[in-house]
Amino acid sequence: MTKTKENTAKRGGILQLKRELPFHFMILPALALVIIYSYLPMAGIVMAFQDFRPILSFENSPFVGFENFRFIFQLPGFHRAFRNTLIIATLRIVTGIGFPLLLALLINEVRKKWFARTIQTAVFLPFFLSWAVLGGIVREMFSLTGPINQIIEGFGGESIMFLALDNWFRFILVSTHVWQSMGINLIIFLAAITNIDLSQYEAAEMDGCNKLKQVWHITLPGMLPIIILVSTLAIGQLLNAGFEQVLILYSPVVYEGGDILDTLVYRMGLIQRQFSPAAAIGLFRSVISLVLVGIAYWCAYKFSDYRIF
């Protein structure tokens, strides 16, 4: 009987594999891109432990151990970039969850469906634009002669150099990131709201609960697993402060408040040609990010029963 069950299970597994084979083939192009652009370049990690010189190649560049890490940890610019990365990324995570959540709760109360769909579409559209395009729009809006300063001057104020002041620069980074990316989380939160049993709202109305109490006692508790899931998965992005966005918008005058690890790696590696220290910073960031991603998925599994496999 045991062998019969094993044979039946094997035949079932083979049949399932045959049914799913076309889907496995569909994954191959994406898998090839990941291997070419994500895994093969990992061979360059060896630069972090060498005094790398392009003319000598990886094989002949002298090995220096952890000397590059000692060097970068002593750089004032490294500590500044690390601090800015944590601050900007944390603000992006908090606002990137908070604002879509608030907007989802507001849209859920809209009775005109066409209006709700229009808002969703308008909010989601910036997601499809790259920062190469959005960067030009943001620069024009916040320039000295841009519409924001024209409004300020119209009310009797003085023009502000938004992109040349550290505090304003951070605010612009975070606010424009929310504007560009909030559509994804908005859809997730709206989907979570639709899964809440409507009979709970009917019972609450019969008990005399107003809309605010219904949101507090029904909607938010019903969304809590998704909120926890989104929040815990965001932990893995704690060292991702938006390289493309910062690179397009920043300048040397806002390095103190806007320089991040990714832009520091870009300047040291591609502009100053300090390949080994730049590789060391990149490896340091990658290791920390890997640990954070592991913690995030463990928390997601622990608190929301979310699994990758």
Side-chain angles (χ1 to χ4, degrees):
M1 291 294 291
T2 304
K3 290 184 178 181
T4 303
K5 289 182 179 179
E6 290 179 356
N7 293 334
T8 304
K10 288 181 181 179
R11 286 197 296 268
I14 294 173
L15 291 174
Q16 184 178 0
L17 179 61
K18 288 182 178 179
R19 287 196 301 267
E20 296 177 353
L21 198 58
F23 300 106
H24 289 283
F25 282 119
M26 290 172 64
I27 296 175
L28 290 180
L31 184 61
L33 290 175
V34 170
I35 292 173
I36 293 171
Y37 291 105
S38 297
Y39 284 95
L40 291 181
M42 289 178 67
I45 290 175
V46 70
M47 284 193 298
F49 304 96
Q50 294 179 326
D51 180 13
F52 177 74
R53 301 169 191 174
I55 195 171
L56 297 178
S57 74
F58 292 129
E59 292 81 5
N60 300 316
S61 294
F63 182 80
V64 296
F66 290 94
E67 190 61 35
N68 290 315
F69 293 93
R70 296 191 188 96
F71 172 73
I72 64 171
F73 290 149
Q74 294 172 359
L75 286 176
F78 173 80
H79 299 285
R80 177 188 63 195
F82 186 68
R83 181 183 67 250
N84 290 338
T85 300
L86 289 176
I87 293 172
I88 294 172
T90 301
L91 291 174
R92 281 162 55 105
I93 291 171
V94 172
T95 55
I97 294 174
F99 281 98
L101 176 60
L102 178 60
L103 186 57
L105 294 174
L106 293 174
I107 289 178
N108 185 55
E109 299 301 324
V110 175
R111 292 293 169 258
K112 300 291 184 180
K113 296 302 180 184
W114 63 268
F115 182 73
R117 294 193 191 99
T118 303
I119 296 298
Q120 291 178 52
T121 303
V123 169
F124 196 69
L125 280 178
F127 179 78
F128 295 101
L129 300 177
S130 70
W131 274 109
V133 176
L134 292 177
I137 297 174
V138 172
R139 280 187 170 276
E140 182 62 31
M141 287 179 61
F142 290 97
S143 66
L144 278 175
T145 58
I148 303 297
N149 273 316
Q150 289 180 10
I151 293 173
I152 293 174
E153 291 175 356
F155 283 96
E158 295 182 1
S159 298
I160 301 173
M161 298 180 65
F162 290 103
L163 296 176
L165 299 173
D166 287 322
N167 292 333
W168 277 113
F169 184 74
R170 283 181 182 173
F171 171 78
I172 292 170
L173 284 180
V174 174
S175 59
T176 53
H177 165 73
V178 172
W179 168 59
Q180 189 260 349
S181 64
M182 70 185 300
I184 293 293
N185 283 341
L186 175 63
I187 291 175
I188 293 173
F189 291 143
L190 286 174
I193 292 175
T194 59
N195 287 328
I196 299 175
D197 189 0
L198 294 178
S199 62
Q200 297 183 48
Y201 294 101
E202 296 172 357
E205 288 181 359
M206 293 178 64
D207 290 338
C209 290
N210 56 29
K211 291 295 182 182
L212 185 59
K213 289 184 178 180
Q214 290 178 31
V215 169
W216 183 256
H217 294 288
I218 299 175
T219 308
L220 287 177
M223 297 174 64
L224 191 58
I226 295 299
I227 296 173
I228 293 174
L229 175 61
V230 173
S231 301
T232 52
L233 293 181
I235 296 174
Q237 301 297 316
L238 195 57
L239 289 186
N240 181 14
F243 170 66
E244 297 88 354
Q245 181 191 17
V246 177
L247 181 65
I248 290 172
L249 295 179
Y250 87 146
S251 61
V253 294
V254 290
Y255 279 177
E256 188 62 34
D259 193 24
I260 60 175
L261 289 177
D262 288 331
T263 52
L264 180 61
V265 170
Y266 169 78
R267 289 201 313 278
M268 292 186 67
L270 296 181
I271 297 178
Q272 301 172 7
R273 299 188 179 183
Q274 299 183 51
F275 301 109
S276 293
I281 296 174
L283 180 58
F284 169 80
R285 178 190 177 279
S286 298
V287 170
I288 300 298
S289 296
L290 178 63
V291 173
L292 291 174
V293 168
I295 294 173
Y297 279 99
W298 180 84
C299 292
Y301 167 72
K302 193 73 174 178
F303 298 109
S304 296
D305 197 28
Y306 174 83
R307 303 181 185 184
I308 304 176
F309 304 107

